[in-house]
Amino acid sequence: MAKTLEPKTKEMEFTSIGQRVPKLDAWDKVQGKTMYIHDVKLPRMLHGKILWSKYAHARIVSIDTSKAEQLPGVRAVITGYNTPEIRCGFIKDNPVLKKDKVRQYRDEVAAVAADTPEIAEEAIKLIDVVYEELPGVFDPEEAMQEGAPLIHEDKGSNVLKLPWKMICGDVEEGRKQADYIVEETYKLPFVTHCCLGTSGCIAQFDAKGNLTVYSPTQIRYLAQKDFQEALNALGLKGKKVKVIQTAIGGGFGSKLDTYPFEFITILLAYYTGRPVKLVYSREEEFFASPGRQPVRAKISQGCTKEGKLTFRDVEMILDNGAYTSWGATTPSVMMMPISSLYQVPNIRYVAKCVHTNNIYSTAMRGYGNPQATFAIESQLDTLAEKAGIDPWEFRMINRNKPGEITPQKFEVGSCGMKECLEAVKEKLQWDEKRGKGNGRGVGIASLIHVGGGARIYKSDGCGTILKLDDFGKVSLLTSASDMGQGSETVLAQIVAEELGLHVEDVDVIMKDTNLEIWDAGAHASRSTFVAGNSALYAARKAKEEILEFAATMLKEPKENLYLRDRMLYSRNNPEVSMTIDKLLRAAHFRTNGRQIVVSEFYDPPTQMLDREMKGNFSAAYTYGVHGVEVEVDKETGQIKILKMVIAMDVGRAINPMAVEGQLEGGGAMGLGYSLMEELHLEKGKVLNGNFLDYKIMTFPDMPPIESVIVETYDEKGPFGAKGIGEPPLVGSAPAIANAVWDALGVRIRELPITPEKIVAALEGKKGS
Amino acid sequence: MAVKISFKLNGEDVSINVDDHVTLMDMLREEFDLFGAKEGCGYGECGSCTVLVDDKAVNSCLMLAVAVNGRSVLTIEGLAGPRGELDPLQKSFVEKGAVQCGFCTPGMIMSAKALLLEKPCPTEEEIRKGMAGNLCRCTGYAKIVEAIKAASERGCSCGKDS
Amino acid sequence: MRRFTYYEPESLKEAIALLEKNGETARLLAGGTDLIVEIKQEKKSPDHLVSLRRIPGLQEMDFSDGELCIGAMVTHRMIEKAELIRDKYSLLADAVDNLGSVQVRNVATIGGNICNAAPSADTAAPLVALGARLVVEGPAGERQIPIDEFFKGPGKTDLGAGEILRCIRIPALPQGAGSCYIKHARRKAMDLPLLGIAVIIVPDANMVCREARIALSLAGPKPFRAEQAEAFVTGKPLSEEVWKQAGEIAVGESNPRSSFRTTAAYRRKMIGTLIPRAAAVSLQRVNRAWMKG
Ligand SMILES: Cc1cc2nc3c(=O)[nH]c(=O)nc-3n(C[C@H](O)[C@H](O)[C@H](O)COP(=O)(O)OP(=O)(O)OC[C@H]3O[C@@H](n4cnc5c(N)ncnc54)[C@H](O)[C@@H]3O)c2cc1C
Ligand code: FES
Ligand code: FES
C-alpha cells in the first residue's frame, strides 16, 4: 500500500520511479550464473586456511610449523613471528597474526597456503602450538573490576578509551518535572549476521608488486585504503591496490570492516607469489566473523501527568570482546534514538565499551539502534501504563514532527511518524485488540534512523560516472555496493527517469576501485539517498548537455525541451520529436563532436558530530512503526506472532517491491533477534555455531508481514526518497515485548524472548 | 580411491572418475564447473546446495558423489529449456522480487521445483512446509512464497485457490 | 572431508563380511545425514564406508498379521507418505512429519535415526511406546532386540561388531488405540526436539483407560517409558485431571539436563504440560466407530 504523490505535469508522470522493477541482477541469480567469492577460480590459485587459537586467553610459548611445511602441496606457512606486523581495526589493536598471546578463542595463530583446501586443512593440524593458559574474563562488569585480567596490557585497562557521552538539557531538572518515572535494566545478547554466503577473499599480486583483492566487501574504497597499509608493512610502499567486488552473498554490516583473514590472505599471496583464496566454513563464519555487540542498558525515563516525556537517562556497558571493530562505535548511533526518538528535552547518555576474552563485534543492520530502541520503547509502555495513558496515545503525544530540531541538533525534514502510527493502529485494530490480557496482545514500537547518509568519516560522499553511447544506452559506473538490497536497480531507475530512458537502457557497473570514483560504503542505509543523489545529479548534468545540444541543433528554446520514453519532445512544438539515440549520434558524429560522459561526486549536506556528540549527522531521517499481535501459550511460553505490521516513512518508494523486500527481510531478521537468535558462549567459546542451534526464522516460522509504505517526500532525497535498509529490523523486538506485556502482564527485558523466560516470568508473577 | 561413475546430469549422460569421499556438491562445483549449488553450511542445515536426484530434492553437501551412480541429477543450470527459456519458477522469482543477495536462490528454486513436481498446486502451508529446509536471510520468505504460487498457477489445473 | 573407501555391497552377507574385515575402521552408511555430518565435523573417522543402499529388501515396508515391519533403509519421507502409518500409527507419522527438512527426509532413514542413538532422535520415543523389536543380522546370524534394551545411552546401542539393523517390527496395536507424538522445539521446522513425548491410549467403551503408554525422549539420558504414570492412568477414566496428574508423576520419573538449548527446569515443566496435551490428541484420534460397534 503506498500513498502516492500527485504528478505535477504530464512529463512529471514517472515512467521508472515508483515502479515495481525486478532486480536487474536477478536474471543471472535465478540461473546460478552469479559469481560469489566461493565460485571464483584464478589460474594457479592456492587455498588458505587459518589456525585458530584453542584458548580464550593464553600465552603463546612456541609455534612449531616444521611438520606442516614438509607436507607436500603446502606452499607457505606463516605466523606472527615470520611476517611483518599488520594491525587492523580502527584503533589498530588487532594484530592479524597473534604473537606472544591470544585474547579470544578464535585468535589467528598461524595460516597456510596449499594446493588444495584439503591439504591446507591437513597442514593446519600439523602445526604445534604450545600455550600457557591465562585466567580469562568473560563478563564486562567483571572485566571492569580492579585486578581483573588485562586483555591488552599496553592499554592499562579493559575499559576502552572511547568514552561515549552525550548530555542535552538537564536530566536532574527533567526528573524533578516528572510525575512518573520508570527505571529498569535491559540486556541484549550476542547475535550474528548469518549471511548465507560466508566471508572470503582472493588476493593476487602482479609482477610489479601491485595487489588485487577480490572481495564481497561492503566498503571497496575503505578496504582499499586498509589493504594499502598491508603493502606498506611489506615494504611495498607506492604500489597499488585494487579491490574487485564479487557478488555479495549477504552483508548486513558484516563486511563493513577489514578483518585479519583478509590481511592473512594478502600475506599468503605475497609469500607464495600466487593467487590465494580463503573462504570461511560456516562454523568459522559463526565464531570468526564478528557479530552484533551485546549490551546491558540501565535506562530511566519520566513523564508528566499529561504524558509529556521530561527526561531520558541511559547508561550502557558494551562487551567489546578482545579487539575493537565498529561494534565499539555503535553508541554513536544509539545516541540517535536516545536523543531524538520522540521529543525529550533532557537527555543523558553514557556508554562504556569493555574488553573481555569474548569474540569481538562489528557493525550489524541497525548499528546499535535495535539495542537502544528495545530499551527505550519497552520502557515507554511501562511508563505509559504508570501514567494511565494508552501506549499509542502516549506515543502520539510525544511523537516527532516534520521540521523539528532535536536536542542532538538533528534537523528533521520530512517526518511521517504520525502517519506510521496511525497506519499501524488501524491495521492492528489496536482499540479492539488491546488490553484484553487473555493471552493475546498487541504491541507497537517506533523508530528513527538515518535516512540521508551519516557522516562518520570526513566524507560521506559517493561518485557516479555516466557514459551515454551511440545507441541510447547508458553505462552507470557507481561506487555504491549492492548486497542484494537492490541499489543497482534503484540507481538505474533514477538515471532512466531523469534521462527519459527505460531501465533496460542502463547498465550498472559497480565493482572495481579502478573504475568508479569513491564511496564511504554500503552502511547507514545510505545507498538510495547518497548514491541515488549522486546518480541523479550526474544524470541531470548529462541531460543538460543533451538538451543544450538539441536546442542548438533544432533551434528550439532549451526550456521547452524534455526527454521521455527514449524521445526528445518540445512542450510548445509538436513538430519536435526525435529519438534520444539519434540525438546522441548527432552530438557525437560531427566536427568537434563527442560522446557524453559526465561525473558527479555527491556529499550530503551534513555535519560530523561535534565534541558534545551533536550536529546534523544525516541529511534526512527515516521514521517507522512496528506493530505486532501475539498469542502466547501460557503453559509452554511459546509465542505465536499472528501478525506483524511495519509502516515506514521512506520519503518516496523508488521501487515499492524493493522497499517491501527490505521491510519483509528486515522484519524477519527482527523477529529472529526478538525470539530465537543468540550466540551462546562458554568461556569465550561459541557453543552453537551452526544453523540448527543458532536459529534464524524458517519459512513456517514467518508470520504474515504487512508492509505499509508512507511517502512524505523529503526535499533532499532523490525524487524524495530516504534510506530504508536498516529500519525494518529496529522496532521488532520492543513491539513484541510490548505485545507480550499486553497479553500476559509480564515484562521481558532480555532478548531473545524465549518460552523459558516467559514461563519463568509467569511463575514469578504468580509467586509475587 | 577414485571410482568411475556414470549418471545423467541435466539430461546428459556423463561419466567421471571421482574420489570416494567427494560430495555431490563438490563434484558438481569442482569437476563440472556447475556453481549453482552453493555451500551455505555444508551440514544439511540451509538448503543452498539443493539439487534434484531422481526428481527428489537432496542436500548435495551431504550426499556422496559415488552415490549418484546410475541416477539422474538436475541442477539449477539444467532447469532452463533447450533454448535457454527459463523455467516458470525462475521467471516468477525474478518478477516477484524473490531474489535479494541471491545466494539462497538456486537452492530455493530447486526445492520449489521438487515441490511442484510432486504437488503442482500446493497451498501456502504446503509451500512453507515443503520449503522449510531452505534458509534465506534476506527476503523474509514472503516474496518467495508468492513466486512459487505464481509459478504453480501456470502448472495447476485443479482450480483450487492456492 | 577425510578420505575413506566406499562400498556398495549387494547383500547383507557381503556387508557383514565387510564390517568384520575392517572392524572398528568401518561404518555403515544409510542416508548419511548423521554420519556424513559427523565425519565432516571430525567426530567420527571411519576409513571404510559400507553403504546399505543396494541391499534388497531394506527399503520395504510390510504389514501382515497386524504386525508392521519397516526396513532399516526406509526413509522418513516414505513413512511420512504412508497412509497406513498415518492411520494406524499416528505417533510415528507425527515424528517424521517435522523431522529435518524435505531434503533430509528424502534420504534419511529410520534405521539411521535409531542406530545413531542421538537423544534427540524423533522416532525413538514413538518406537519405544510402540514396543518395537529390532531385527538385527550379524556374523552370528539374526537376533531380535526389544527397543528399550537397544538404547544404551547417548550415541550408544546394543549393536555388536558386524551387526546390521535389518528391520523394525512393530507389534499390532490393540483395536481402538489412539496415539500422538509431540515434538517440542523452538522453531516450527528444521529443529531438533527439546523434548519428545509419545502417548498411546486404549480406552474402553466407557472411556476408561484400558492401556496407556507414555514414552519420553530427552527427559533422561535415553528414551524411556514413564511406567508409574502409565500405571496411574490405567483403569482410570480418561479425564484431563487424570492426565495432569499422570504428567506430574512422569516429571518425577524424569531426569532431564540443562544445556544452552534449554534448562532442565523448563524441560520438566513441559513434561507435565505436554503429556496431557499428547493424551488429548490421542484421544481425539481413537477410532470412535469401533468403540460404538
Ligand atoms: C539438517 C538436519 C536436520 C535434522 N533434523 C532431525 C530431526 O528433526 N529429528 C531427528 O530425529 N533427526 C534429525 N536429523 C538427524 C538425522 O537426519 C536422522 O537421525 C536420520 O534419521 C539419520 O538417518 P540416516 O539414514 O541419514 O543415517 P546415517 O547418517 O547414514 O547413519 C547414522 C548412524 O547409524 C548407523 N546405521 C545406519 N543404518 C544402520 C543400520 N541399518 N544398521 C546399523 N547401523 C546403521 C550408521 O553407521 C551411523 O552411525 C537431522 C539431520 C540434519 C542434517
Ligand atoms: S550447504 Fe548443504 S544444506 Fe547447507
Ligand atoms: S536472497 Fe540472500 S539469502 Fe536469500
Side-chain angles (χ1 to χ4, degrees):
Chain A
M1 188 198 82
K3 204 185 90 200
T4 31
L5 304 162
E6 285 303 309
K8 294 189 187 90
T9 62
K10 176 101 175 80
E11 79 262 20
M12 278 289 291
E13 250 174 53
F14 294 130
T15 52
S16 293
I17 299 297
Q19 304 300 309
R20 302 175 72 84
V21 179
K23 262 175 74 63
L24 302 178
D25 57 1
W27 298 101
D28 274 351
K29 286 177 174 172
V30 297
Q31 297 180 73
K33 288 185 180 166
T34 304
M35 297 293 272
Y36 300 85
I37 190 71
H38 315 73
D39 310 326
V40 180
K41 280 185 192 172
L42 297 181
R44 302 188 72 233
M45 186 172 82
L46 299 173
H47 299 267
K49 188 90 193 155
I50 293 171
L51 175 68
W52 308 100
S53 158
K54 287 282 166 274
Y55 292 92
H57 202 189
R59 252 175 227 301
I60 300 175
V61 178
S62 62
I63 306 179
D64 180 358
T65 56
S66 52
K67 273 186 254 156
E69 280 157 16
Q70 282 153 23
L71 188 72
V74 170
R75 305 292 165 178
V77 184
I78 57 172
T79 68
Y81 297 95
N82 66 7
T83 53
E85 184 173 86
I86 303 172
R87 291 171 161 257
C88 65
F90 73 95
I91 59 167
K92 304 272 173 261
D93 65 358
N94 190 358
V96 304
L97 280 162
K98 275 59 180 181
K99 229 172 158 172
D100 306 329
K101 101 169 193 172
V102 291
R103 299 176 182 83
Q104 53 174 352
Y105 202 87
R106 43 131 314 203
D107 257 344
E108 299 80 359
V109 177
V112 299
D115 291 352
T116 67
E118 292 75 27
I119 298 174
E121 188 141 3
E122 215 180 316
I124 281 296
K125 289 188 195 132
L126 295 175
I127 300 175
D128 273 328
V129 187
V130 178
Y131 297 96
E132 183 188 303
E133 201 176 354
L134 297 169
V137 59
F138 304 98
D139 179 292
E141 279 168 78
E142 281 169 25
M144 285 161 67
Q145 309 274 313
E146 193 80 28
L150 280 182
I151 315 299
H152 295 267
E153 285 82 357
D154 55 333
K155 292 188 184 177
S157 160
N158 288 331
V159 179
L160 212 63
K161 285 192 187 58
L162 196 69
W164 296 100
K165 186 169 174 187
M166 177 189 58
I167 309 273
C168 308
D170 181 345
V171 164
E172 290 319 312
E173 193 48 40
R175 279 185 193 272
K176 281 187 211 137
Q177 290 162 10
D179 296 306
Y180 306 101
I181 294 178
V182 182
E183 182 166 328
E184 295 167 310
T185 305
Y186 286 84
K187 213 174 145 195
L188 297 111
F190 275 107
V191 294
T192 188
H193 308 80
C194 293
C195 303
L196 261 268
T198 56
S199 305
C201 69
I202 298 173
Q204 181 179 32
F205 282 88
D206 71 11
K208 293 183 198 145
N210 298 313
L211 169 68
T212 301
V213 179
Y214 297 79
S215 163
T217 176
Q218 296 175 233
I219 42 156
R220 292 203 291 289
Y221 300 87
L222 300 179
Q224 180 189 31
K225 176 176 143 281
D226 287 354
F227 297 153
Q228 193 76 53
E229 289 174 28
L231 292 196
N232 297 349
L234 287 168
L236 297 173
K237 240 188 173 110
K239 298 296 175 191
K240 289 179 285 187
V241 179
K242 169 161 103 164
V243 177
I244 295 186
Q245 197 175 50
T246 57
I248 306 178
F252 313 114
S254 62
K255 299 167 176 77
L256 213 55
D257 202 352
T258 50
Y259 301 106
F261 82 87
E262 295 168 294
F263 295 93
I264 288 172
T265 312
I266 292 170
L267 288 171
L268 289 170
Y270 178 73
Y271 288 114
T272 57
R274 286 168 65 173
V276 175
K277 173 172 176 174
L278 195 151
V279 173
Y280 279 175
S281 68
R282 177 55 55 189
E283 206 179 349
E284 289 175 316
E285 184 78 8
F286 268 111
F287 67 70
S289 177
R292 191 192 292 286
Q293 210 140 23
V295 171
R296 286 172 206 183
K298 207 170 110 190
I299 174 170
S300 52
Q301 302 179 80
C303 70
T304 64
K305 282 199 200 72
E306 295 73 35
K308 283 296 282 179
L309 288 167
T310 61
F311 80 95
R312 183 177 289 154
D313 190 356
V314 186
E315 273 175 37
M316 282 184 187
I317 296 175
L318 282 72
D319 184 343
N320 199 56
Y323 303 102
T324 310
S325 173
W326 297 127
T329 67
T330 52
S332 66
V333 173
M334 297 182 183
M335 285 175 186
M336 171 181 55
I338 289 169
S339 71
S340 306
L341 179 59
Y342 304 110
Q343 296 181 340
V344 195
N346 306 299
I347 290 141
R348 192 179 75 99
Y349 173 57
V350 287
K352 286 196 178 100
C353 300
V354 186
H355 279 302
T356 63
N357 293 111
N358 288 326
I359 51 176
Y360 71 108
S361 303
T362 188
M364 181 169 170
R365 200 178 200 170
Y367 212 97
N369 196 346
Q371 294 101 307
T373 300
F374 178 59
I376 297 169
E377 278 285 357
S378 295
Q379 189 172 62
L380 274 195
D381 266 33
T382 317
L383 189 59
E385 174 144 323
K386 242 187 161 175
I389 300 171
D390 172 280
W392 185 86
E393 288 294 340
F394 194 78
R395 287 175 170 83
M396 282 297 274
I397 292 169
N398 293 292
R399 72 173 192 275
N400 299 101
K401 294 180 183 142
E404 75 178 42
I405 295 182
T406 77
Q408 206 186 343
K409 298 198 182 146
F410 294 170
E411 295 162 24
V412 175
S414 62
C415 169
M417 199 170 190
K418 175 165 174 278
E419 291 79 356
C420 292
L421 277 165
E422 283 166 346
V424 170
K425 184 184 189 197
E426 187 203 318
K427 299 268 171 203
L428 268 191
Q429 299 175 278
W430 175 262
D431 289 330
E432 295 94 288
K433 301 240 161 126
R434 206 192 143 263
K436 300 285 185 285
N438 55 353
R440 273 197 180 209
V442 286
I444 53 171
S446 311
L447 68 95
I448 175 178
H449 203 73
V450 289
R455 188 165 298 271
I456 44 178
Y457 311 108
K458 286 197 175 117
S459 173
D460 192 22
C462 175
T464 303
I465 299 169
L466 286 185
K467 183 186 99 156
L468 283 65
D469 71 10
D470 301 330
F471 315 102
K473 307 288 182 223
V474 184
S475 297
L476 160 57
L477 283 75
T478 172
S479 43
S481 295
D482 195 329
M483 323 171 261
Q485 80 277 36
S487 297
E488 184 191 35
T489 313
V490 159
L491 297 177
Q493 284 177 266
I494 288 173
V495 167
E497 187 68 55
E498 193 59 22
L499 291 177
L501 294 170
H502 294 179
V503 175
E504 311 84 89
D505 300 332
V506 184
D507 256 337
V508 184
I509 296 154
M510 35 166 47
K511 65 168 183 206
D512 183 339
T513 47
N514 274 8
L515 293 183
E516 300 107 18
I517 302 180
W518 185 89
D519 178 60
H523 67 225
S525 304
R526 66 190 279 280
S527 298
T528 297
F529 190 97
V530 180
N533 269 336
S534 178
L536 176 62
Y537 295 150
R540 274 193 196 151
K541 279 187 187 165
K543 186 164 88 177
E544 275 302 295
E545 277 196 38
I546 297 172
L547 294 183
E548 217 150 274
F549 170 74
T552 323
M553 183 175 86
L554 302 170
K555 304 199 169 50
E556 275 283 315
K558 194 179 127 204
E559 312 77 70
N560 288 353
L561 298 175
Y562 67 92
L563 304 172
R564 192 185 164 81
D565 262 336
R566 296 176 175 156
M567 298 290 291
L568 170 86
Y569 296 111
S570 163
R571 285 182 192 86
N572 315 24
N573 184 355
E575 304 277 286
V576 174
S577 132
M578 188 177 190
T579 61
I580 292 179
D581 60 323
K582 196 164 168 197
L583 194 59
L584 287 171
R585 283 194 295 275
H588 180 187
F589 298 108
R590 60 175 166 129
T591 313
N592 287 329
R594 65 182 197 93
Q595 280 198 322
I596 295 176
V597 178
V598 296
S599 75
E600 171 68 30
F601 188 78
Y602 172 79
D603 193 16
T606 51
Q607 301 158 342
M608 270 193 95
L609 297 180
D610 62 18
R611 295 179 67 114
E612 289 184 358
M613 304 310 291
K614 291 172 190 162
N616 194 33
F617 200 38
S618 181
Y621 298 89
T622 296
Y623 293 86
V625 176
H626 284 70
V628 291
E629 185 184 5
V630 301
E631 184 176 52
V632 192
D633 184 321
K634 288 188 196 174
E635 289 180 323
T636 64
Q638 285 168 313
I639 301 178
K640 187 169 177 198
I641 309 287
L642 300 172
K643 183 177 194 171
M644 183 163 199
V645 187
I646 306 181
M648 291 286 149
D649 161 20
V650 303
R652 153 134 37 213
I654 292 186
N655 185 336
M657 190 157 78
V659 173
E660 287 163 15
Q662 290 303 300
L663 266 51
E664 290 158 4
M669 203 181 253
L671 283 165
Y673 188 43
S674 311
L675 300 174
M676 53 179 77
E677 291 184 32
E678 178 169 19
L679 266 185
H680 294 278
L681 269 68
E682 188 179 70
K683 292 212 181 300
K685 181 184 181 190
V686 172
L687 297 179
N688 59 331
N690 60 69
F691 279 133
L692 277 185
D693 282 323
Y694 185 96
K695 296 169 204 302
I696 67 173
M697 302 295 277
T698 68
F699 269 95
D701 289 305
M702 274 307 292
I705 289 189
E706 201 168 331
S707 303
V708 181
I709 299 173
V710 172
E711 297 190 304
T712 49
Y713 190 86
D714 197 279
E715 288 294 328
K716 295 186 189 131
F719 295 97
K722 302 192 273 192
I724 192 61
E726 298 164 279
L729 175 142
V730 173
S732 317
I736 293 172
N738 289 340
V740 167
W741 168 256
D742 186 40
L744 304 175
V746 296
R747 171 61 59 190
I748 309 295
R749 297 189 186 84
E750 197 179 321
L751 292 185
I753 306 173
T754 59
E756 289 83 350
K757 286 178 194 155
I758 290 192
V759 166
L762 282 170
E763 273 170 4
K765 191 180 159 201
K766 241 191 287 169
S768 64
Chain B
M1 201 179 71
V3 275
K4 184 172 171 184
I5 59 168
S6 305
F7 62 105
K8 223 181 209 34
L9 177 57
N10 294 331
E12 232 176 88
D13 290 316
V14 296
S15 294
I16 187 166
N17 286 321
V18 63
D19 281 342
D20 292 15
H21 71 289
V22 171
T23 61
L24 173 56
M25 178 181 72
D26 286 343
M27 176 178 72
L28 292 171
R29 295 177 57 87
E30 304 301 325
E31 307 298 332
F32 293 96
D33 276 1
L34 296 171
F35 293 116
K38 306 270 174 228
E39 180 172 275
C41 70
Y43 293 149
E45 297 164 354
C46 75
S48 61
C49 64
T50 304
V51 300
L52 305 197
V53 173
D54 293 340
D55 282 351
K56 289 202 185 92
V58 302
N59 294 318
S60 63
C61 69
L62 291 187
M63 182 168 274
L64 295 180
V66 286
V68 302
N69 195 11
R71 296 161 95 173
S72 122
V73 176
L74 182 68
T75 73
I76 189 81
E77 290 87 352
L79 202 54
R83 277 188 306 274
E85 61 277 21
L86 296 189
D87 185 273
L89 274 165
Q90 290 174 307
K91 256 193 225 147
S92 65
F93 265 63
V94 173
E95 285 161 5
K96 297 291 177 188
V99 178
Q100 287 190 26
C101 84
F103 200 86
C104 71
T105 306
M108 280 288 170
I109 293 179
M110 295 317 287
S111 263
K113 183 71 190 172
L115 178 77
L116 296 187
L117 280 175
E118 194 181 309
K119 251 189 203 126
C121 28
T123 62
E124 166 146 358
E125 207 189 322
E126 285 166 339
I127 294 174
R128 287 188 181 267
K129 185 163 182 247
M131 297 294 295
N134 292 74
L135 298 179
C136 175
R137 190 56 154 170
C138 300
T139 64
Y141 307 110
K143 298 214 173 327
I144 299 178
V145 173
E146 243 181 84
I148 297 173
K149 277 187 190 167
S152 86
E153 269 150 28
R154 303 177 200 199
C156 175
S157 54
C158 72
K160 181 175 68 181
D161 187 19
S162 56
Chain C
M1 196 170 23
R2 165 192 185 84
R3 282 174 184 273
F4 47 74
T5 315
Y6 174 83
Y7 308 85
E8 281 188 356
E10 302 202 356
S11 71
L12 272 176
K13 251 206 178 71
E14 213 184 307
I16 292 166
L18 279 166
L19 290 180
E20 279 199 285
K21 181 170 160 226
N22 297 299
E24 291 281 288
T25 64
R27 280 248 153 212
L28 290 171
L29 179 71
T33 58
D34 278 320
L35 188 54
I36 299 292
V37 171
E38 287 169 326
I39 296 174
K40 283 187 168 190
Q41 292 173 335
E42 300 180 0
K43 288 183 185 156
K44 291 212 172 107
S45 41
D47 296 323
H48 305 273
L49 279 199
V50 180
S51 168
L52 297 172
R53 94 178 176 101
R54 285 201 190 275
I55 298 177
L58 295 187
Q59 297 183 36
E60 278 161 27
M61 260 190 280
D62 179 52
F63 186 66
S64 53
D65 300 334
E67 193 186 70
L68 175 66
C69 189
I70 305 177
M73 287 294 282
V74 167
T75 64
H76 298 304
R77 195 91 173 121
M78 289 163 73
I79 299 177
E80 182 187 352
K81 289 188 175 169
E83 207 69 33
L84 176 106
I85 290 182
R86 194 151 292 279
D87 286 352
K88 287 201 169 10
Y89 304 93
S90 329
L91 77 176
L92 198 52
D94 293 342
V96 296
D97 187 58
N98 202 12
L99 188 156
S101 58
V102 171
Q103 292 96 316
V104 168
R105 296 198 291 280
N106 273 337
V107 298
T109 63
I110 187 164
N113 197 230
I114 293 305
C115 293
N116 201 55
S120 57
D122 267 313
T123 64
L127 290 174
V128 168
L130 287 165
R133 298 178 70 78
L134 307 181
V135 183
V136 167
E137 207 150 303
E142 187 189 293
R143 67 177 178 125
Q144 293 204 10
I145 313 168
I147 188 149
D148 33 6
E149 290 168 25
F150 183 75
F151 294 117
K152 296 290 180 199
K156 294 201 182 75
T157 68
D158 191 41
L159 283 178
E163 284 191 321
I164 300 176
L165 173 69
R166 202 182 72 205
C167 72
I168 301 168
R169 299 184 100 110
I170 301 176
L173 274 182
Q175 285 272 311
S179 69
C180 166
Y181 171 74
I182 292 182
K183 169 181 189 159
H184 192 61
R186 174 75 32 93
R187 279 195 299 204
K188 287 193 186 148
M190 285 301 277
D191 214 348
L192 297 171
L194 298 169
L195 193 66
I197 301 216
V199 167
I200 302 174
I201 299 180
V202 189
D204 69 10
N206 302 317
M207 293 308 273
V208 168
C209 180
R210 265 205 299 144
E211 190 188 338
R213 300 188 206 161
I214 304 167
L216 306 176
S217 55
L218 292 152
K222 52 183 193 174
F224 66 95
R225 293 265 293 265
E227 286 169 4
Q228 294 167 26
E230 291 177 355
F232 173 80
V233 222
T234 309
K236 293 208 173 56
L238 288 167
S239 70
E240 213 184 305
E241 193 41 44
V242 166
W243 277 103
K244 277 217 165 105
Q245 290 179 32
E248 289 316 312
I249 294 168
V251 173
E253 295 179 75
S254 307
N255 182 22
R257 12 179 257 134
S258 281
S259 72
F260 68 81
R261 297 187 179 99
T262 188
T263 61
Y266 182 73
R267 280 199 172 108
R268 238 179 261 119
K269 184 161 164 66
M270 288 311 102
I271 294 168
T273 304
L274 297 175
I275 286 180
R277 290 193 187 183
V281 176
S282 306
L283 213 51
Q284 281 168 17
R285 289 174 176 170
V286 164
N287 183 342
R288 281 164 203 281
W290 170 82
M291 272 166 25
K292 282 183 196 131

